Amino acid sequence: MSNFGQILKEIGEFGLFQKRLVAALCIPSIFVSFDVIGQVFTGISFPNYCNTDWILERGPNLTYERQRNLTIPVNKDGNFESCQMFTPVDLDLETIEAYGINATTGCLNGSYFEVPKGASSIVTEFNLVCDRSSLIEASQSIYMAGLLVGALVLGQMADRFGRRFVVLLSLLLVLLFGVSASFSPNIYVYMVLKFLSGFSISGILVNAFVIGGEWSDSSRFAFCTIICHSFYPLGLIMLSGIAYLIRNWRTLQLVLFSPLVLVLGMFYWILPESARWLITQGRKEEAIKEVRRAAKVNGRKVSEDLLDKLDVEGTSKRGNMLDIFRMSYLRKHALVMSYVWFGTSLMYYGLSLNVGNFGLDIYLTQFIFAVVEIPARLGSLPFLQRFGRRICQSGVLLFGGAACLGILAVPKDLAVVVTVIAVLGKFAATASFSVVYVYTAELYPTTLRQNGVGLNSMCARVAGILAPLIRLLSVYHSTIPMLIYGIVPIVAGGVCLLLPETRNVELQDHAEHICRKPESGTAENGCIMKEEQSEKSTQF
């Protein structure tokens, strides 16, 4: 009987075909970062005060400073209130200057924003301040809800219709909704488009890296995954620079997503379907066609006898998400990994979306956050090889949670110190995301891999929904949000130790109940899921 591991030996386990494929799959990660973190800049806030032009009817020659002094109260710190004004009165200017106004009210005629020339954001255009300020967090949570639904739907679609179809569909939808968002007439249309964009981006998040991994020798699975994801911080670096140069949010949105036209065209011609997935579906002729294409690029020839034996596997039963819960070991893996994903995501987005509140320039802070993600992602590779998946996953979660709690111990006026600790936390959160994608994909067989990754990433999206809403709890006490961002990943780091180790364990293609002694390097005895597996183990 032939399996895909034997075929890879014939055509090249990591030749030019695989290297070219992984390089191409890095590109979508750039646009993922634009979509996920873009609202940090499209939703940037500016100093704002109530519109008090009513007083200009009494004194049309008043300077702006004099107008504010007469119509806007000051707070206990001596700064003008953002959301309060003196109640308009039917008095002449001389009387108002002599006696002032005592009664205050909320903004009656909208707000005035101190915006640099040519700059704008959804906050200024849609007046998202004062009683409407919560709509900023709401729009981010709605976007995360789109990611959640997308992970559920597109993960299952990938296992049913193929990885290539879902990636191409996702790129097309991200292009349409990303560009359309720049023409939003109001915040509610913007929210709908962000939800749809989040739904679409999930197809890239949970599928793109898997194609590269499934086309490569299983010892390269972690390498392919992390390399693909390492272009996410490159996208963040580009985002910081582009947003600094383009301060108009509508223009910024167009510039960020219009290039997807070229990417979609390129991927339509060069992106192959996963031959490993085609084999598990019994689609022999299509699998052979893709294998020959890969062999040609790698300058190899594949034995016809080996290809003829592919039909021995036959058509496997199509897996679905419920199959994970029917099998005790997969059920345990799914439940534990779901909480690990939740803790990782809550910590990551809790720090990322709070970038404007650490006391330094938002463009500089985001740039630093982006730069630190590169060593966090690439640096996780040797640690995965040396210490394994379980210890690395637990370690970065514990470290990141401790960093979030450490922020609370530093006075707010020490902005540089707070930012340094936040950067360390972001480093750990990023490393955790890198490890969790590898770890999760290795825990599930090919027939259920995208269902498993989709299920677990759904929990990450729940955390993404809650992360901006948790920030609203600061009205009760300023420490509550960061306290939650720190405690949850620490607990996840402990729960992670319940999982088995997957380093030096073979990737599975199918799943069935079989008891056997685990291979060297595993951490759990008893029954595991095994049928057809690849020849190489996940050493890297």
Side-chain angles (χ1 to χ4, degrees), residues 111-161:
S111 299
Y112 171 80
F113 295 88
E114 293 185 348
V115 182
K117 184 178 180 181
S120 70
S121 71
I122 60 172
V123 175
T124 61
E125 288 207 16
F126 303 142
N127 197 33
L128 303 184
V129 293
C130 302
D131 58 341
R132 289 168 57 86
S133 61
S134 61
L135 291 175
I136 303 173
E137 282 75 18
S139 67
Q140 193 64 252
S141 292
I142 288 172
Y143 172 78
M144 294 296 176
L147 286 173
L148 186 153
V149 177
L152 172 64
V153 175
L154 297 176
Q156 294 192 70
M157 284 182 64
D159 276 339
R160 184 172 180 82
F161 301 109

Side-chain angles (χ1 to χ4, degrees), residues 297-308:
V297 175
N298 286 344
R300 298 284 192 91
K301 291 185 178 180
V302 59
S303 168
E304 292 297 325
D305 290 338
L306 196 60
L307 294 176
D308 289 340

Side-chain angles (χ1 to χ4, degrees), residues 97-214:
E97 289 181 323
Y99 299 101
I101 306 172
N102 293 321
T104 61
T105 184
C107 297
L108 299 176
N109 299 304
S111 299
Y112 171 80
F113 295 88
E114 293 185 348
V115 182
K117 184 178 180 181
S120 70
S121 71
I122 60 172
V123 175
T124 61
E125 288 207 16
F126 303 142
N127 197 33
L128 303 184
V129 293
C130 302
D131 58 341
R132 289 168 57 86
S133 61
S134 61
L135 291 175
I136 303 173
E137 282 75 18
S139 67
Q140 193 64 252
S141 292
I142 288 172
Y143 172 78
M144 294 296 176
L147 286 173
L148 186 153
V149 177
L152 172 64
V153 175
L154 297 176
Q156 294 192 70
M157 284 182 64
D159 276 339
R160 184 172 180 82
F161 301 109
R163 282 63 160 135
R164 181 180 187 273
F165 171 79
V166 171
V167 170
L168 292 177
L169 176 65
S170 298
L171 286 171
L172 174 62
L173 295 179
V174 172
L175 168 64
L176 293 177
F177 298 133
V179 171
S180 297
S182 65
F183 298 100
S184 301
N186 55 59
I187 184 60
Y188 303 106
V189 172
Y190 176 83
M191 286 180 176
V192 171
L193 291 171
K194 287 298 291 182
F195 173 87
L196 295 172
S197 185
F199 173 89
S200 308
I201 212 74
S202 277
I204 299 172
L205 277 170
V206 302
N207 289 298
F209 77 96
V210 171
I211 297 179
E214 290 183 345

